[in-house]
Amino acid sequence: MAESARPRVPVGIWAGWDFPVQFVGEGIQRVLGMLVEGAAESGRVTFHIALRPVNVASGLAMLRGLRAREGDSWVLHVIEDAGDAPPPTSYPLMGGLPHDLPPGAKRLLAMPDRRIASGLFVAGLAATPLFMLRALLRPAWRFAWTHGLRLSVATLRDPVTAAPEIAVGVRHLPGGRRLAQALLAWSAERQRDRTPTPQASTSSTPDWRIRSLEPGVPAGWLCLLPNLIIPPSIPGRRFVMLPDAVMLDFTSAWNPADLAPGGTWPSWFSAVSRNLAVADAVLTISAHVARNHVVGHLGVDATKLRIVPVPASDLAVALPFLAADRRRTPATRHEAAVMLRRHAAARDWTYLADFPLEHVDYIAVSTQERPNKNLSLLIEALRLIVQERSGGLKLLLTTHVVDDPTTPCFRLHGLLRRHGLELDVVSLPRLPNRELAALFHAAAVTVLPSMFEGGDVPLTFSESVGLGTPSLMARGPHTEEMLEQFPDLAPFVFDPYDAGALAELITQSIAARDAVLDTQLAVYATMRRRGWAQAAEEYATVVTGVPLAPVRRLSPADA
């Protein structure tokens, strides 16, 4: 870290979430921490970070835990006098899930336990023949469902969303490439028609102030999410970061209420349209988002776009026992397992508190649940390995395992229950960086099954490989862009619709773990030539106009 005494360029970061944010292992909040550490390494940038009062305590805790000095690399400011703030327009997460007991549960609670036990005993006896028949028919049904019925049902329900998946299969048939291209074009056009129309905001403009700012410092603000409104009362130029607009590509998997007039997504588009209209420039982290979402769907002038990809991340500092070559040894694996067990005990995760993680191969996954994350494919691949190939493998993921009957993508708990995988798939949500690094290091392999990511190289890949663990990624526009730069990673990219192929790749990669890691570490070394110090300088260049580092633009051909 190179904290320098020379003058630094002040850059405003508008992080005005009006709801509590956990600055631990969550998307754009993690990027904020890495940018601040990049500013410390660069020595040329100071980030002035503006937070609402609800997030000051958690934001300070995160910032003071970084390898960066307060006052040099970062300064925290409080957004005051919120007034009539607009309603939250954040991504819908786990909030809003029903917590009240259903009427059936209330009736059962009123009955004696003995009566319930007798009833369940009789029901179990009566259902035994049905369970036996189900067990006999399950393999045939699963094969038929996987190889056509599922897609057929999805096509009836929503042909627009199902068309790209059909095109994947059709293009491999003789003469099918032209039909596949036609289906993709038709689907894209229909998706464009479905894009919610931005609604005029009925909320009054909030009168927010930041009393701790000096006049004219900073001269410009980078808004971390495109729906976070910067009111006119805050002086300075505006720059908007748009990581992605994933709801455009996965419309049918959201809660219908979120898509209805007045719902989350129309409100989101309204706020985004307002911000983009006044932005001096729009930043994205990949060319495919810039091309397809920002220009193609949101209609932003391509000349306003700047592309600042997410650099390779390095969590090695979180594990002081990690060897210089970053490779796992029995001793370092044990140390990582001890860290995870201590964390599990502190959070009352009884199943993991004494689990022998250093002696069990497991897949590690760090992601939130979204329609594009494709976690059901990974769970099916695990089921194939464990139940049909007698493999001893666990899946540890940082995702909340929940069911929400109103949102199609929140079905993980029911899926695990149906497949009998509740003890093979373990959730470890909100892991701090130190424990996340331990999770990756002790894993046999990490997997990112996502069909779409905003960046060009998944953050999980660099974090995992930098900690000595191979990583596998699903094919999508993000990995296609990655392979243009790093073609040596092609053997580790899998079809996001083929669970059997993923199961085979996982098994082969674990068996040849050292050889896979050799290849990926060589690529990782190339990735690290551009680090977070350069990314911080690129952000500063866009916001201030001071030419600290060259910034990529969308090429005329892409536009």
Side-chain angles (χ1 to χ4, degrees):
M1 180 175 63
E3 296 283 8
S4 173
R6 62 184 169 179
R8 292 169 176 253
V9 176
V11 179
I13 299 290
W14 186 265
W17 294 284
D18 51 3
F19 54 91
V21 170
Q22 295 289 334
F23 290 92
V24 177
E26 293 184 0
I28 201 67
Q29 292 95 13
R30 290 191 64 210
V31 170
L32 173 59
M34 293 171 183
L35 276 175
V36 170
E37 290 191 334
E41 184 182 347
S42 162
R44 305 173 72 187
V45 179
T46 299
F47 286 116
H48 291 258
I49 301 165
L51 291 175
R52 299 286 296 277
V54 69
N55 287 313
V56 168
S58 58
L60 268 176
M62 180 273 291
L63 289 167
R64 287 175 176 166
L66 299 175
R67 294 166 292 144
R69 186 181 303 139
E70 184 174 0
D72 287 332
S73 300
W74 63 273
V75 179
L76 184 66
H77 303 278
V78 181
I79 305 170
E80 301 173 346
D81 299 327
D84 297 325
T89 53
S90 63
Y91 282 9
L93 299 174
M94 307 306 159
L97 300 184
H99 296 290
D100 294 336
L101 289 173
K106 294 178 180 178
R107 287 196 296 270
L108 288 174
L109 286 172
M111 296 181 185
D113 290 353
R114 186 176 299 277
R115 180 179 174 187
I116 295 175
S118 301
L120 291 176
F121 174 74
V122 172
L125 289 178
T128 297
L130 296 177
F131 289 149
M132 295 173 64
L133 181 62
R134 180 172 177 264
L136 290 172
L137 295 178
R138 176 182 284 180
W141 168 254
R142 181 176 289 124
F143 183 86
W145 180 259
T146 303
H147 292 81
L149 286 177
R150 176 186 62 81
L151 189 54
S152 299
V153 172
T155 303
L156 280 176
R157 185 171 60 245
D158 187 353
V160 174
T161 303
E165 189 171 349
I166 295 173
V168 170
V170 167
R171 69 183 180 188
H172 296 297
L173 299 176
R177 183 173 297 275
R178 183 173 298 178
L179 176 58
Q181 292 173 344
L183 281 172
L184 288 172
W186 172 81
S187 175
E189 191 63 30
R190 285 289 183 264
Q191 288 282 18
R192 194 172 290 111
D193 294 341
R194 287 182 175 184
T195 301
T197 302
Q199 299 177 350
S201 175
T202 58
S203 303
S204 59
T205 302
D207 184 21
W208 290 337
R209 296 287 188 273
I210 302 178
R211 303 182 192 279
S212 57
L213 288 176
E214 299 178 16
V217 178
W221 292 92
L222 173 62
C223 190
L224 283 186
L225 287 177
N227 56 313
L228 299 180
I229 299 295
I230 307 178
S233 56
I234 303 298
R237 295 188 299 165
R238 269 78 165 144
F239 299 85
V240 175
M241 183 175 181
L242 201 155
D244 62 61
V246 70
M247 75 295 298
L248 294 171
D249 296 324
F250 299 89
T251 309
S252 64
W254 292 107
N255 184 335
D258 291 332
L259 302 170
T264 297
W265 292 131
S267 300
W268 187 89
F269 275 99
S270 177
V272 169
S273 298
R274 175 182 172 183
N275 272 358
L276 296 183
V278 300
D280 291 273
V282 179
L283 283 75
T284 67
I285 52 180
S286 66
H288 66 273
V289 168
R291 180 176 57 247
N292 298 329
H293 288 175
V294 185
V295 175
H297 280 293
L298 296 172
V300 174
D301 184 350
T303 61
K304 290 178 64 173
L305 274 167
R306 306 293 185 271
I307 302 173
V308 183
V310 174
S313 183
D314 190 358
L315 294 180
V317 69
L319 303 181
F321 50 80
L322 190 66
D325 63 2
R326 300 177 180 268
R327 294 180 182 275
R328 190 180 73 179
T329 66
T332 61
R333 189 179 184 187
H334 172 74
E335 290 284 347
V338 168
M339 288 174 58
L340 287 170
R341 282 194 289 268
R342 287 174 181 164
H343 187 76
R347 294 180 64 176
D348 293 325
W349 295 341
T350 54
Y351 182 64
L352 285 180
D354 58 356
F355 197 86
L357 289 166
E358 62 267 60
H359 302 301
V360 176
D361 281 341
Y362 67 84
I363 304 166
V365 176
S366 176
T367 186
Q368 301 176 45
E369 175 63 300
R370 294 285 187 275
N372 57 302
K373 297 301 184 179
N374 201 23
L375 287 170
S376 59
L377 178 95
L378 178 55
I379 290 172
E380 173 61 13
L382 179 74
R383 188 199 65 78
L384 291 173
I385 294 171
V386 172
Q387 296 181 355
E388 297 190 9
R389 303 181 186 181
S390 302
L393 197 60
K394 299 284 185 180
L395 172 59
L396 273 59
L397 70 171
T398 62
T399 311
H400 287 271
V401 176
V402 297
D403 283 345
D404 177 8
T406 65
T407 306
C409 72
F410 292 153
R411 295 287 194 272
L412 282 186
H413 188 260
L415 184 64
L416 298 179
R417 189 171 56 248
R418 285 196 302 274
H419 289 323
L421 293 172
E422 290 170 290
L423 295 180
D424 297 298
V425 179
V426 184
S427 173
L428 300 83
R430 303 191 316 277
L431 281 183
N433 273 359
R434 186 168 174 266
E435 282 70 26
L436 181 64
L439 176 73
F440 283 163
H441 181 66
V445 67
T446 64
V447 178
L448 184 68
S450 176
M451 297 179 284
F452 178 95
E453 290 292 315
D456 57 346
V457 178
L459 195 59
T460 300
F461 173 84
S462 60
E463 291 177 334
S464 173
V465 175
L467 294 167
T469 299
S471 187
L472 309 176
M473 298 157 283
R475 186 172 296 278
H478 56 299
T479 45
E480 295 284 1
E481 193 167 329
M482 174 192 72
L483 292 176
E484 292 177 6
Q485 306 175 68
F486 310 108
D488 289 347
L489 295 178
F492 315 113
V493 174
F494 57 87
D495 185 340
Y497 303 105
D498 192 337
L502 174 56
E504 186 65 26
L505 182 59
I506 290 171
T507 303
Q508 291 176 355
S509 297
I510 294 175
R513 192 178 190 277
D514 289 342
V516 173
L517 188 59
D518 285 341
T519 301
Q520 295 192 348
L521 278 172
V523 174
Y524 177 66
T526 303
M527 288 181 178
R528 291 191 66 209
R529 293 173 186 168
R530 177 181 177 270
W532 283 98
Q534 182 172 338
E537 293 175 2
E538 290 173 12
Y539 279 110
T541 298
V542 173
V543 175
T544 67
V546 178
L548 299 181
V551 178
R552 180 181 170 192
R553 295 171 180 259
L554 195 65
S555 69
D558 281 338

